[in-house]
């Protein structure tokens, strides 16, 4: 999850192809049309060899919120994707970027900073990507807090997902799947018992107060 682009924020100086540089900004609404029409993929470093999700496959969700272009990805069960997300959990990679065609923009020369500033009013997206060196430093990419919480409890998220999918499909479970299912059940039962133990005194106290009033 994260933001592939942030509204009304300056990019780092970008090369203009003629030996100079410019700064880019994104106007709110620049992605409104494209996220509803285009076939967009999520990638690692814009690589066609490292596709993380796709909106038409319902493995990539894109919405414009107040901050910018919000992204949620359901990654594939592959070794490289697991390695990438472990790297993100460490904080080594935490940025995002996007590949696009310009539909409507505006360029104004900023005399104070002595550099052109281009505002993107509408774009056609090709992909959003998790990257190590984003053009917009305010972008963010992180692993879902659910995944992090599972790892903190010593539970492998991929193994849990595989177990749940096998159970849903009626496929046979291995011994490790059964162990994980029992472990999760035991943990949930303990949480439920703790919750009941916390709630019961409050209910008793409430009854006592009511009878005295």
């Amino acid at each position: 999850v994260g933001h592939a682009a942030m509204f009304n924020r300056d990019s780092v100086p970008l090369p203009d192809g003629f030996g100079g540089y410019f700064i880019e900004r994104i106007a709110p609404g620049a992605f409104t049309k494209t996220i509803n029409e285009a076939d967009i993929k999520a990638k690692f470093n814009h690589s066609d060899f490292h596709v993380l999700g796709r909106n038409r496959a319902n493995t990539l969700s894109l919405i414009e919120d107040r901050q910018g272009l919000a992204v949620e990805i359901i990654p594939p069960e592959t070794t490289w994707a697991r390695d990438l997300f472990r790297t993100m959990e460490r904080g080594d990679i935490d940025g995002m970027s996007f590949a696009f065609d310009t539909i409507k923009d505006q360029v104004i020369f900023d005399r104070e900073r002595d550099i052109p500033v281009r505002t993107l009013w509408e774009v056609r997206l090709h992909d959003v990507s998790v990257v190590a060196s984003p053009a917009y430093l305010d972008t963010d990419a992180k692993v879902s807090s659910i995944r992090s919480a599972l790892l903190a409890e010593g539970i492998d998220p991929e193994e849990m997902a595989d177990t749940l999918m096998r159970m849903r499909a009626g496929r046979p479970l291995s011994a490790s799947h059964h162990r994980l299912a029992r472990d999760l059940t035991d943990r949930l039962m303990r949480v439920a018992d703790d919750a009941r133990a916390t709630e019961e005194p409050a209910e008793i106290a409430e009854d006592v107060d009511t009878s005295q009033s």
Side-chain angles (χ1 to χ4, degrees):
V1 296
H3 286 84
M6 305 297 284
F7 295 140
N8 298 321
R9 305 285 181 87
D10 287 350
S11 69
V12 299
L14 302 170
D16 62 9
F18 301 99
Y21 291 86
F22 69 97
I23 288 174
E24 193 173 74
R25 295 172 65 88
I26 306 167
F31 303 103
T32 301
K33 186 175 181 180
T34 189
I35 60 177
N36 290 311
E37 296 179 355
D39 181 9
I40 305 165
K41 295 181 176 66
K43 302 177 181 179
F44 174 51
N45 275 338
H46 302 288
S47 170
D48 287 338
F49 297 102
H50 297 98
V51 177
L52 291 164
R54 184 182 184 184
N55 61 341
R56 291 188 178 177
N58 295 319
T59 53
L60 169 63
S61 173
L62 298 162
I63 62 168
E64 282 191 334
D65 61 18
R66 291 183 178 180
Q67 293 178 284
L69 181 61
V71 176
E72 184 171 347
I73 303 166
I74 301 174
E77 295 296 324
T78 58
T79 300
W80 71 263
R82 287 193 290 269
D83 290 344
L84 170 61
F85 282 102
R86 289 192 176 97
T87 302
M88 293 171 64
E89 286 164 350
R90 286 160 42 101
D92 299 331
I93 296 176
D94 61 0
M96 293 200 75
S97 180
F98 60 100
F100 66 99
D101 291 330
T102 302
I103 304 299
K104 182 180 179 182
D105 67 349
Q106 181 182 28
V107 179
I108 297 176
F109 192 83
D110 187 329
R111 296 185 180 278
E112 289 186 6
R113 291 185 288 180
D114 192 35
I115 192 170
V117 177
R118 178 171 77 155
T119 300
L120 299 174
W121 292 100
E122 184 182 349
V123 302
R124 181 185 297 110
L125 274 177
H126 296 297
D127 74 63
V128 293
S129 287
V130 176
V131 296
S133 301
Y136 291 86
L137 300 180
D138 293 317
T139 59
D140 61 279
K142 59 186 178 181
V143 178
S144 168
S145 58
I146 296 176
R147 178 185 173 86
S148 298
L150 289 172
L151 289 170
E153 291 295 323
I155 299 172
D156 186 331
E158 284 76 26
E159 186 178 6
M160 187 184 79
D162 183 51
T163 300
L164 293 173
M165 286 189 290
R166 285 174 177 270
M167 292 172 64
R168 183 181 299 174
R171 296 165 58 192
L173 301 180
S174 67
S176 64
H177 290 130
H178 281 291
R179 282 195 298 271
L180 178 60
R182 285 195 299 269
D183 182 38
L184 288 172
T185 301
D186 291 342
R187 289 171 187 250
L188 290 171
M189 290 297 294
R190 286 197 296 271
V191 170
D193 290 341
D194 291 342
R196 281 195 294 269
T198 303
E199 292 170 359
E200 287 172 359
E203 292 175 358
I204 294 172
E206 185 178 344
D207 292 339
V208 171
D209 291 340
T210 301
S211 64
Q212 290 177 342
S213 59

